Amino acid sequence: MICPKCGFEQPDGAECARCGVILSRYKGLGAPPPPPPPLAGPVFESPALAGAGTVYDGPASIGGGTVYQGPPPGSPVPAPGTFRRTFGVGEVLGETFSIYFANLLPFTLLTALALAPAYALIFLVGRAPQASMLVIVSGLLLGLVSILASNIATGAITFGVFQQLRGKDASIGECLSRGLSLLLPVFGLAFVQSLAIGVAMLACLVPGIMLAVRWAVSVPAAVTEGTGVSNSMQRSSFLTDGMRWDVFGVLFVLGVIQIGATLLVNLVVGNPTLVLLLTGVKNLLVVGLSATGSAVMYYRLRSLKESIDVDQIASVFG
């Protein structure tokens, strides 16, 4: 078999051993050129070389236009699985936990930055007189800010996740710098997405869950691809298409962890200050873990569907 992209001759398989393109999903704009005409007259083959090689071994000349942006022909043969990862609930969760706890300090700081407005509102509500208008307004704002916080934290943590996937350290300074630069662009997407999911949840639980699964990787898409609100949600819909039960499984496990942590905090009674402190710690861990999971899902979905490597995804960060 000859790869239609790079012309590498190899045994039959699902992907090219040289350039890593998935053969069944290759979408070139032009068809490969016809094979060269047979040579006139007999072809001499020495006994030592009989059966080895082909008459034509030059590079294939075909049209471009594929979603694959891997190394050019002639590059070293990549290791199996470099450009294509599998997507399973256990694999995604395992990589999520590994990356998060390996970068616990910087990711916790980024999450704390995203949750800072929510913590300020909690403090304000706690000091205000009960049943006052300030408590009611602050409570409504707190619910909105809490929904937005996880998406903002996802945008901030995405850089650190990709650095870890590339085998590089995600320093606190770099993560904070990237996180601050991405907070404002992600805010609009987080607001629109959270509002739509919230309205769908109020109307009926199932549509809200479906939207949450469909848009599970919209924030990492906005951060790494620079797409707007609508395009980021469409991009997430494309990437999750066909894999939404697995995405739901990841979100379900992370949701169970959040509910379990909340129940544990609620067991503490008689000490409001301790409850407030434990709630803050719980939110830091749960939101940061969910943000890491979203970035890992985005990487694996792109790797699976588009045969793209993490270095190419992270190239946007410079």
Side-chain angles (χ1 to χ4, degrees):
M1 160 182 93
I2 298 178
C3 174
K5 177 175 178 61
C6 68
F8 181 66
E9 184 175 3
Q10 59 196 300
D12 291 342
E15 60 184 48
C16 177
R18 171 184 285 173
C19 67
V21 69
I22 301 176
L23 301 177
S24 62
R25 299 178 184 176
Y26 178 78
K27 298 179 181 178
L29 295 177
L39 300 178
V43 178
F44 173 75
E45 291 184 300
S46 65
L49 299 177
T54 61
V55 176
Y56 176 75
D57 197 25
S61 177
I62 60 176
T66 74
V67 295
Y68 173 73
Q69 300 294 329
S75 301
V77 177
T82 299
F83 296 105
R84 185 161 62 105
R85 293 287 188 96
T86 58
F87 191 92
V89 176
E91 294 170 335
V92 172
L93 289 173
E95 193 164 27
T96 297
F97 285 114
S98 176
I99 292 176
Y100 180 72
F101 287 108
N103 300 274
L104 184 61
L105 181 57
F107 286 6
T108 300
L109 289 176
L110 287 173
T111 308
L113 179 64
L115 291 175
Y119 289 151
L121 284 173
I122 291 174
F123 178 77
L124 184 63
V125 171
R127 293 179 61 88
Q130 295 297 320
S132 66
M133 183 58 66
L134 181 60
V135 172
I136 298 175
V137 174
S138 299
L140 294 175
L141 289 176
L142 178 60
L144 177 61
V145 170
S146 298
I147 294 174
L148 296 176
S150 61
N151 290 313
I152 295 174
T154 301
I157 287 175
T158 295
F159 169 75
V161 171
F162 285 127
Q163 287 294 91
Q164 183 69 26
L165 288 170
R166 299 167 74 187
K168 299 182 179 180
D169 293 331
S171 69
I172 297 176
E174 285 182 316
C175 285
L176 287 175
S177 175
R178 298 290 180 175
L180 287 172
S181 66
L182 296 170
L183 283 179
L184 291 179
V186 169
F187 181 82
L189 173 63
F191 178 80
V192 173
Q193 179 174 303
S194 300
L195 182 62
I197 293 175
V199 171
M201 286 282 191
L202 291 176
C204 184
L205 182 63
V206 174
I209 294 175
M210 293 174 64
L211 288 180
V213 171
R214 179 187 293 267
W215 296 334
V217 296
S218 60
V219 174
V223 171
T224 58
E225 300 178 38
T227 50
V229 173
S230 177
N231 289 336
S232 296
M233 292 190 292
Q234 292 177 6
R235 184 74 172 129
S236 179
S237 298
F238 165 74
L239 291 174
T240 57
D241 186 29
M243 307 297 297
R244 287 177 186 158
W245 279 112
D246 294 296
V247 174
F248 171 78
V250 175
L251 297 181
F252 177 79
V253 173
L254 294 177
V256 169
I257 293 174
Q258 180 175 2
I259 293 173
T262 301
L263 292 176
L264 287 176
V265 171
N266 290 337
L267 292 177
V268 179
V269 294
N271 191 333
T273 303
L274 181 59
V275 171
L276 188 63
L277 178 61
L278 292 177
T279 300
V281 173
K282 181 264 296 182
N283 289 337
L284 284 177
L285 296 177
V286 171
V287 172
L289 190 62
S290 298
T292 304
S294 181
V296 171
M297 284 193 292
Y298 170 78
Y299 161 60
R300 283 186 170 262
L301 286 170
R302 283 201 69 183
S303 181
L304 177 64
K305 285 201 165 188
E306 299 175 346
S307 295
I308 191 168
D309 188 32
V310 64
D311 285 322
Q312 296 167 278
I313 299 176
S315 62
V316 66
F317 298 120

